[in-house]
Amino acid sequence: MFPLFNLGGNMRLTIHKKLLFSYLFLSCFAVGIALFAVNVIRTIQTEFKSVADDVLPMSLALEDMRFAGLRIVASTVEYGLLLQLQQELRHAPSLEKEEQELVSSGYNDYREAFERYEFLVVNRFPEHADVLDDVR
């Protein structure tokens, strides 16, 4: 009949035993797949936690540093243009104080973002601490 279930000799498998073995085989197969799925889910969870705890905050700190740096540069350029306009046109409105506040605000934002970045590098990625001097 079926070579898989034909054990030869006097031991004959009845339909009941064949059905029982097939259900046991399917059950074992399902348990194996379930164990594999649980292992994959744990791996994904570990990797997600690693990204959420380490990579994402560092990326956000670097992005904040970039925006603060751009703000410093833009405010500095505007301040320079205002000074030049005031020298050329004696009637130009004085916006120096506002621009100085924008530059100092951008600098403070940059410093705060760098401190977050430095904390993350020192605590989570100490092997890359030498990069801090280049960024600083």
Side-chain angles (χ1 to χ4, degrees), residues 53-54 57-59 61 115-126:
D53 291 345
D54 297 335
M58 186 168 298
S59 178
E115 287 172 0
R116 281 189 293 141
Y117 173 73
E118 184 177 32
F119 176 79
L120 289 168
V121 168
V122 168
N123 292 323
R124 308 264 179 161
F125 301 101

Side-chain angles (χ1 to χ4, degrees), residues 25-36:
F25 175 76
L26 288 176
S27 298
C28 290
F29 185 69
V31 166
I33 289 176
L35 291 174
F36 176 75

Side-chain angles (χ1 to χ4, degrees), residues 10 23 53 70 112:
N10 293 334
Y23 286 128
D53 291 345
L70 289 174
E112 288 174 10

Side-chain angles (χ1 to χ4, degrees), residues 31-42:
V31 166
I33 289 176
L35 291 174
F36 176 75
V38 166
N39 188 28
V40 168
I41 289 171
R42 284 186 183 156

Side-chain angles (χ1 to χ4, degrees), residues 1 26 34 41 54 57 71 83 87-88 91 97 121 128:
M1 194 178 213
L26 288 176
I41 289 171
D54 297 335
R71 184 173 172 188
L83 287 178
Q87 289 175 358
E88 292 176 3
H91 327 295
K97 186 174 182 178
V121 168
H128 298 294

Side-chain angles (χ1 to χ4, degrees), residues 50-101:
S50 170
V51 168
D53 291 345
D54 297 335
V55 176
L56 200 57
M58 186 168 298
S59 178
L60 291 174
L62 287 170
E63 191 73 18
D64 289 347
M65 285 172 51
R66 184 174 72 99
F67 283 130
L70 289 174
R71 184 173 172 188
I72 292 169
V73 170
S75 296
T76 304
V77 169
E78 286 179 18
Y79 181 69
L81 286 174
L82 283 175
L83 287 178
Q84 186 177 7
L85 280 176
Q86 282 180 349
Q87 289 175 358
E88 292 176 3
L89 308 169
R90 301 288 178 204
H91 327 295
S94 178
L95 300 173
E96 291 178 40
K97 186 174 182 178
E98 291 178 29
E99 288 302 323
Q100 286 175 345
E101 287 175 3

Side-chain angles (χ1 to χ4, degrees), residues 102-116:
L102 285 174
V103 170
S104 65
S105 172
Y107 176 74
N108 290 336
D109 291 345
Y110 182 85
R111 200 178 73 242
E112 288 174 10
F114 181 77
E115 287 172 0
R116 281 189 293 141

